[in-house]
Amino acid sequence: MLKIAAWNVNSIKARLPNVIGWLDEAKPDVALLQEIKTIDDGFPLMEIQAAGYKHCAICGQKTYNGVAILSRLPLTEVRRGLPDEPEDQQARYVEAVVDGRVRVASVYVPNGNPVETEKFPYKLRWMENLRRHAARLLVEGDLPLVIGGDYNVCPTDDDVYDPEGWANDALCRPESRAAYRALLWLGLTDTFRALHKEPHRYSFWDYQGGAWQRDLGLRIDHLLLSGSALDRVQACDIDKRPRGKEKASDHTPVWCELDL
């Protein structure tokens, strides 16, 4: 059994005690992190490896963004960045093969707000590049595929606490949802939603306005699985516990278990 989790940690240095504590408690075999907010050399590799994650693939950036793969098992075929964004200076994608058994990717999709700025077209362009790369992986690859992370998209109104209030936000705009569905049409599956039909289960709660205490959340962190990975899924859920900790990230992990 292989447990894979995705978590936007909102600064690996600021949340390191929480991250180490959760890794020790939840014991994922692979953790896909987003918003590590540090360059590669600043990543707390010693502490992460001491927690049992000897194999790490990091794609960092100073102050903003940054993604990583932490693994108890060997990583090969590491790719940093999307091939169709060769000049992209934002660290948002890292991919690797875990122990020769499954290909994983940690993704941090652009937020896209404000929608009237260049940030929204950039989000849509980035998602289209992700779609093209995922399509190649599905056609060319012979391994199960897991693309997990912060997609910055609420797929439906069931995934946001106030659909009307968020209707014009980049996370809920029809264009963003269409770009997300385009990934699903490739043959990927939103694994949490496949196993959990109940609405209003969230993975993100803003720091403002008592959002966490009032459960005013969004489901924007997703694990998208290929058919061969989905066939092996034994469980998938959202772990809300880290969001209730002191100095918590505003996101919480989503995880799945694969019988590989």
Side-chain angles (χ1 to χ4, degrees):
M1 199 72 68
L2 197 71
K3 185 175 184 178
I4 301 174
W7 188 10
N8 179 324
V9 295
N10 190 15
S11 175
I12 185 67
K13 293 181 180 179
R15 318 295 168 200
L16 186 59
N18 285 356
V19 172
I20 295 295
W22 184 78
L23 291 173
D24 184 60
E25 183 178 4
K27 294 181 170 52
D29 298 288
V30 180
L32 311 174
L33 305 185
Q34 300 83 48
E35 269 201 287
I36 61 172
K37 294 184 177 180
T38 181
I39 60 174
D40 293 13
D41 288 346
F43 190 84
L45 192 60
M46 183 181 303
E47 294 89 339
I48 294 296
Q49 290 182 333
Y53 295 84
K54 304 295 186 183
H55 310 277
C56 300
I58 304 159
C59 181
Q61 179 180 340
K62 185 178 180 180
T63 308
Y64 301 102
N65 308 318
V67 287
I69 300 171
L70 318 182
S71 178
R72 297 181 182 275
L73 303 166
L75 297 177
T76 58
E77 299 183 36
V78 175
R79 174 191 291 275
R80 296 172 176 85
L82 289 171
D84 292 329
E85 288 279 4
E87 299 179 2
D88 191 1
Q89 299 302 305
Q90 299 189 22
R92 295 183 175 274
Y93 184 91
V94 63
E95 169 193 316
V97 171
V98 179
D99 197 34
R101 298 155 64 186
V102 59
R103 186 179 300 274
V104 301
S106 178
V107 301
Y108 179 43
V109 173
N111 179 283
N113 284 304
V115 294
E116 63 274 9
T117 69
E118 170 58 26
K119 292 183 178 181
F120 191 53
Y122 171 62
K123 175 193 185 89
L124 300 179
R125 184 172 67 249
W126 198 95
M127 293 187 74
E128 170 58 18
N129 289 339
L130 175 62
R131 187 199 65 80
R132 285 201 297 266
H133 182 55
R136 286 191 292 266
L137 292 178
L138 290 169
V139 170
E140 300 169 1
D142 57 354
L143 291 173
L145 175 64
V146 176
I147 305 178
D150 180 358
Y151 281 79
N152 269 314
V153 177
C154 296
T156 72
D157 284 353
D158 285 345
D159 302 304
V160 53
Y161 73 93
D162 180 9
E164 290 187 7
W166 283 77
N168 199 44
D169 190 278
L171 278 63
C172 298
R173 281 283 293 261
E175 301 94 325
S176 302
R177 289 177 169 178
Y180 183 81
R181 288 195 302 272
L183 289 165
L184 304 184
W185 291 340
L186 293 175
L188 297 170
T189 296
D190 179 343
T191 306
F192 175 83
R193 185 54 74 207
L195 298 182
H196 296 271
K197 304 303 183 184
E198 66 272 21
H200 305 296
R201 293 281 308 278
Y202 307 128
S203 64
F204 167 89
W205 298 261
D206 195 88
Y207 291 126
Q208 306 300 318
W212 165 246
Q213 292 79 5
R214 300 163 63 196
D215 199 27
L216 305 180
L218 313 170
R219 192 176 72 90
I220 56 177
D221 303 272
H222 311 298
L223 292 168
L224 301 192
L225 272 60
S226 66
S228 59
L230 188 67
D231 287 344
R232 295 166 168 82
V233 168
Q234 302 300 305
C236 180
D237 213 338
I238 296 169
D239 187 348
K240 292 176 64 174
R241 293 172 298 173
R243 185 60 180 86
K245 302 286 187 180
E246 289 188 19
K247 298 183 179 179
S249 169
D250 43 7
H251 295 250
T252 207
V254 56
W255 59 268
C256 68
E257 289 183 339
L258 307 181
D259 187 2
L260 289 171

